[in-house]
Amino acid sequence: MPRRWTVTEEQDHGRRNAAQGSRIDAYIDRYAARATGMVASEIRALFAVASRPEVVSLAGGMPYVTALPLDTVGELVADIVARRGTVALQYGSGQGDPHLREQICEVMRLEGIDAGADDVVVTVGSQQALDLVTRIFIDPGDVVLAEGPSYVGALGTFAAYQASVVHIAMDDQGLVPEALAETIESVTRSGRRVKFLYTVPSFQNPAGVTLSADRRHQVLDICQRADVLVVEDNPYGLLGFDGDPMRALRADDPDGVVYLGSFSKTLAPGFRVGWALAPHAVRDKLVLAMESAVLSHSSFSQLAVGQYLATQPWREQIKSFRELYRERRDAMLGSLEALMPPGCSWTRPAGGFFVWMTLPEELDSKAILPRAVAERVAFVPGTGFYADGSGARNMRLSYCYPEPDRIREGVRRLAGVVQQELMLRDTFGTGSMRAHGGVDTPGPDLA
């Protein structure tokens, strides 16, 4: 049998490889400046261990696709190949399948958006849409405003295009409008220009909070007066646990908001189908940028999603997802309340996938991650969700994938690790040594 590495051995192996790579890479002096920061996260070796079945992972943001009617999806896919194979397996339109774009408009109406299919650009997930938006708007050094904490995949994209990210404070009602206005004024006074505000207003990743209705109007008003574009990333908007979906920002400002959507959370991420809804001029640039990147996206995936929307009760499937994730959210919140030691606090999401936990003073989530994995539980440290490396006392806990009993067991293990760290702090004056280094970027299964 192959030898199983310990957490420490796997970390050391990753560090040695990284160090050797910097010495033996013959192209090190040829890369573009923007590639300098493109290095593997030092926590990825830990998550290679954390993927073992005995580890309860509260880290990954993976939808529970097992809840889909997989037999029906399989029949649907086979039917597409049999009946429309010559179209499904051929190049397609750079803007996306026209019929799917009309169906996307129907989906967006659930959030109050009245749009035409001509302004929709289909993308390879909403991640590509975000990359394309950043590509057409950002020059090196341009300022992007983003919630603090913010989606790790967005921060990676902004870093790749050498944007300067300035975080805006949040509380339990989402982004704080006063902080937004003050930051725009401060950046402008410094002689820099804010290119856009990036926000995940509903059930935010990673914090789980939702921008209130009153604040949505305030944020739009502030950005309109300051001539700041809003990029609204809304993958979780239909996954609220109570009531109707919140009205999207784009619904109230068609000219000042670029809306990003995805079927990854409401259908399946494996299809890799997302979209951007943009003003006409921006849409044209997005199509050109998309075509230069991939020529065209998968006709097969687009037809599959379109067929699913046309023939299946997709609204009922979303309702089933909501009920499933609500049960898991409740399992996590109940376990945190019952088991976490004093000094810990956390958000209470009304939808989506994530809880954002804050540790007691002097504890560092990145530093305690190896101990947690050794105790067979995993999470994502908070530093990965800040461009400036903040968030040391925070961690993101995901409840979307494990079964409720596994969530409870994972929280029990994590609570034990936190309690051990508190004992170290109280005995020696500090917990585990504070971790060093830059921002970590977990892979797509953790995003």
Side-chain angles (χ1 to χ4, degrees), residues 82-136:
R83 292 192 307 106
R84 305 189 64 190
T86 57
V87 176
L89 302 179
Q90 187 56 270
Y91 287 117
S93 161
Q95 189 171 349
D97 178 72
H99 181 55
L100 177 60
R101 288 190 275 118
E102 291 175 357
Q103 292 172 301
I104 286 171
C105 290
E106 180 181 352
V107 172
M108 290 189 295
R109 286 191 190 97
L110 297 176
E111 296 172 313
I113 296 174
D114 183 13
D118 195 43
D119 288 330
V120 174
V121 180
V122 180
T123 57
V124 183
S126 59
Q127 183 68 32
Q128 189 198 33
L130 179 59
D131 184 275
L132 297 177
V133 169
T134 308
R135 178 179 171 185
I136 67 174

Side-chain angles (χ1 to χ4, degrees), residues 117-252:
D118 195 43
D119 288 330
V120 174
V121 180
V122 180
T123 57
V124 183
S126 59
Q127 183 68 32
Q128 189 198 33
L130 179 59
D131 184 275
L132 297 177
V133 169
T134 308
R135 178 179 171 185
I136 67 174
F137 279 106
I138 295 300
D139 289 315
D142 283 344
V143 174
V144 171
L145 303 182
E147 296 144 336
S150 192
Y151 167 49
V152 64
L155 296 181
T157 296
F158 302 151
Y161 288 99
Q162 300 171 279
S164 175
V165 176
V166 178
H167 287 296
I168 309 296
M170 289 195 300
D171 59 22
D172 288 342
Q173 296 185 63
L175 185 151
V176 178
E178 294 80 7
L180 173 63
E182 291 170 4
T183 302
I184 292 175
E185 183 179 351
S186 174
V187 170
T188 303
R189 281 201 311 267
S190 71
R192 297 181 294 169
R193 181 182 179 187
V194 176
K195 282 295 183 73
F196 59 77
L197 165 67
Y198 171 77
T199 177
V200 184
S202 296
F203 321 122
Q204 199 246 14
N205 179 3
V209 300
T210 295
L211 188 64
S212 66
D214 288 344
R215 287 192 178 183
R216 291 178 186 234
H217 292 298
Q218 293 178 58
V219 166
L220 287 176
D221 182 61
I222 290 168
C223 289
Q224 286 169 354
R225 286 188 283 110
D227 194 25
V228 170
L229 178 70
V230 176
V231 177
E232 178 182 15
D233 194 357
N234 197 32
Y236 310 99
L238 299 182
L239 295 176
F241 302 146
D242 302 293
D244 295 329
M246 293 283 289
R247 186 173 175 85
L249 296 170
R250 170 57 174 74
D252 293 316

Side-chain angles (χ1 to χ4, degrees), residues 43-44 47 57 59-62 152 205 354 379-380 385 396 441-447:
I43 68 172
R44 286 195 181 186
F47 283 117
S57 178
M62 297 180 294
V152 64
N205 179 3
F354 306 111
F379 57 83
V380 184
F385 303 97
R396 191 191 73 179
T441 304
D445 57 330
L446 302 174

